[in-house]
Amino acid sequence: MVEEFLSEAAIKKNRNKHRVKVHSLQLGLAVLLLGGWQILADHKILDPFFYGRPSGVMHQLGVWITNGTSIGSLWVNAWVTFYEATYGFLAGVILGIIFGVFLARNPTAAEIFAPYIKVSNSIPRVVLGSIFVLWLGLGSVSKVALAFVLVFFPVFFNAFQGTREADHKLIANARLLGASKRQITIKVIFPSALSWITASMHVSFGFALIGAIVGEFLGAQRGLGLLIATAQGNFNPNGVYAAMLIIAIMALSAEWLITKLENRLLNWRPTQISGTEL
Amino acid sequence: MNSGSPVSFDNVSKRFRTPKGTWYQALAGLEFEIKAGEFVSLVGPTGCGKSTALTLLAGLEQPSIGAVNVDGREVDKIETSTGFVFQHDATFPWMSVYNNIAAGPKFRGVKNYDQLVRTWISKVGLTGFESNYPHQLSGGMKKRVALAQALINEPSLLLMDEPFSALDVQTRSIMTDELVSIWETTGSTVVFVTHDLEEAIALSDRVLVLTAGPAKVKADFTINLPRPRKARDIRFTEEFLEIYQDIWSVLRDEVDIAYQRQLVAPGKGK
Ligand SMILES: Nc1ncnc2c1ncn2[C@@H]1O[C@H](COP(=O)(O)OP(=O)(O)OP(=O)(O)O)[C@@H](O)[C@H]1O
Ligand SMILES: [Mg+2]
């Protein structure tokens, strides 16, 4: 018996059908949650003074966009937080990879640094934020520094582990084919550690945002963290939610970009087995 | 065209730490010589130490006792004049077929390798698959990538660990003939590990039968069949069958020993 393959159009139709179903259920859930919240708040079951309400959040956003916030233009504040997080993220990723790969390739160096790394990793890093504000002032540098330390360690550990796990057989093969130590690091170790590294990058941008925002909480002149702190001070829950919404959009866009980058860098990997039953 | 390297094993023993902390002796006083440009096959029961002997020859491991010599020098590090086709897939998963085969020339700083790489791609029958990644190839195609990857560097010593085991019978005999003709033009020394006696006889100048682990040379057969040989044709000749019987009668005892051990201590050998 010869089974007909589904035509391209039929496959697309099936997939679209599935997508419409998922998206409409997602939307329904959102309407249910937000609508429920709105109704409960309108009937004072949830006190809107403490809990805010969706219409209030939208109104707050509208005011911020048209009139600016109490600490200046919304866009400027969002931009400040975004670049603090991004700088911290990039510095943490780059240095994390360099240190991770270097130490994994140099066991003696790894042995020497091990206790220092363990100690600095065991310090609750958010506490460092206060120190950075004292050292580096209220400007952006202290936030970048906090975002950096939050990103550095996960990337470092993953790069280290990824390098350690690199297949010895492949390294042996590369050496027999004539690769120098440097070529092995670049052409064999790095690519095989890359899936570990990109995995850590997914969580790391979130950490970078936390670093920037916590840093702004602790003392800043601008940024979404300060905006949240101000709203909290004014008993304005809608302001807190509105700022959170902007942060969420930022995190999702970054996640989207990182996924794109990952797919590009790791296009040699077999596509994941997919199917509803998995 | 390069000339092959002579090889010798001088009373070589090798032991490994097992996960339980005890020692496992893989080779015990292994001794043999291979002349420059000779094609020698190692046959022996599974787990007897054939792959171990090759890793010593490549300098990937050092012997516990004794010395392995290549080109009259003791092997104490990885030599890039040695080519190795590994038993298990060692192609780089992040490189396309083209880049996998070009890896050697690129690492060695060879200029203008493109023509060379394309020649090898067609020799191993992978034209049209240049941009595929290894996971997009069949098991046999991956083996052929590994073969071209090693051969493109014209090694003076070529180590092959069951290079054709993943191939279907037809491709296998084509590759066997191909390997013979390549070997005849390069003149490199080849140490070839296989479980396939027919393949060993068709390819080799000599076949060494190893004992069940720890491996020693049990018997050394010189194959005097005329060259050039076509593997497809000679396996039905009288002389071929005679040699086959001779080697098999020696090998069978060792295979039995290895098998009996597995029954007595299941799982202990691996
Ligand atoms: N790194 C290692 N650590 C511990 N034991 C090892 C190691 N490498 C090999 N051995 C042991 O040495 C013995 C010989 O292994 P080897 O791979 O050389 O066998 P082989 O002759 O190639 O077998 P096969 O034909 O199945 O490939 C095996 O019993 C194996 O368990
Ligand atoms: Mg083996």
Side-chain angles (χ1 to χ4, degrees), chain B residues 16-17 24 26 45-52 87 162 195 269-270:
Chain B
F16 291 110
R17 268 252 184 252
Y24 180 83
T46 175
C48 78
K50 303 180 294 295
S51 298
T52 305
Q87 181 170 11
E162 302 184 33
H195 282 287
K270 280 283 148 185

Side-chain angles (χ1 to χ4, degrees), chain B residues 57-115:
Chain B
L57 263 173
L60 299 173
E61 300 256 7
Q62 306 303 321
S64 315
I65 306 175
V68 175
N69 302 296
V70 173
D71 256 334
R73 272 180 298 122
E74 187 170 340
V75 180
D76 53 3
K77 62 173 179 14
I78 291 175
E79 289 293 344
T80 53
S81 55
T82 300
F84 202 143
V85 181
F86 290 85
Q87 181 170 11
H88 304 286
D89 181 29
T91 52
F92 304 108
W94 46 84
M95 293 185 195
S96 63
V97 165
Y98 181 95
N99 284 326
N100 258 297
I101 294 176
K106 281 187 183 171
F107 287 147
R108 290 155 194 247
V110 173
K111 303 235 160 42
N112 309 324
Y113 48 76
D114 185 67
Q115 199 49 51

Side-chain angles (χ1 to χ4, degrees), chain B residues 201-227:
Chain B
I201 298 167
L203 283 167
S204 313
D205 296 318
R206 276 161 66 207
V207 175
L208 302 184
V209 180
L210 303 182
T211 59
K216 282 197 292 280
V217 177
K218 169 142 191 207
D220 183 343
F221 292 91
T222 302
I223 314 295
N224 277 324
L225 299 173
R227 287 187 193 272

Side-chain angles (χ1 to χ4, degrees), chain A residues 166-180 183-184 186-193 264-271, chain B residues 58 60 77-84 86 88-95 100 103-109 133 135-136 149-150 153:
Chain A
D167 193 338
H168 287 258
K169 198 177 55 203
L170 294 185
I171 297 172
N173 193 20
R175 290 191 55 191
L176 282 159
L177 292 173
S180 63
Q183 286 172 323
I184 286 178
I186 297 167
K187 298 287 183 184
V188 182
I189 304 279
F190 183 69
S192 62
R264 246 200 108 101
L265 287 176
L266 298 177
N267 63 346
W268 51 268
R269 276 198 312 196
T271 40
Chain B
L60 299 173
K77 62 173 179 14
I78 291 175
E79 289 293 344
T80 53
S81 55
T82 300
F84 202 143
F86 290 85
H88 304 286
D89 181 29
T91 52
F92 304 108
W94 46 84
M95 293 185 195
N100 258 297
K106 281 187 183 171
F107 287 147
R108 290 155 194 247
Y133 289 104
H135 81 265
Q136 297 162 324
Q149 192 180 51
N153 303 307

Side-chain angles (χ1 to χ4, degrees), chain A residues 115-218:
Chain A
Y116 295 96
I117 290 164
K118 274 183 198 143
V119 169
S120 40
N121 185 39
S122 65
I123 299 171
R125 285 188 279 286
V126 176
V127 177
L128 291 173
S130 306
I131 298 173
F132 288 147
V133 171
L134 288 177
W135 286 353
L136 304 169
L138 294 179
S140 284
V141 185
S142 57
K143 286 75 192 173
V144 173
L146 186 58
F148 166 78
V149 292
L150 284 171
V151 170
F152 175 82
F153 282 96
V155 174
F156 167 82
F157 285 117
N158 271 44
F160 185 83
Q161 194 62 20
T163 304
R164 278 285 172 90
E165 307 254 312
D167 193 338
H168 287 258
K169 198 177 55 203
L170 294 185
I171 297 172
N173 193 20
R175 290 191 55 191
L176 282 159
L177 292 173
S180 63
K181 191 163 181 191
R182 210 183 119 87
Q183 286 172 323
I184 286 178
T185 305
I186 297 167
K187 298 287 183 184
V188 182
I189 304 279
F190 183 69
S192 62
L194 204 56
S195 45
W196 285 75
I197 292 168
T198 52
S200 70
M201 276 163 61
H202 282 292
V203 284
S204 294
F205 194 81
F207 287 163
L209 273 176
I210 294 173
I213 288 160
V214 170
E216 289 164 358
F217 271 156
L218 296 172

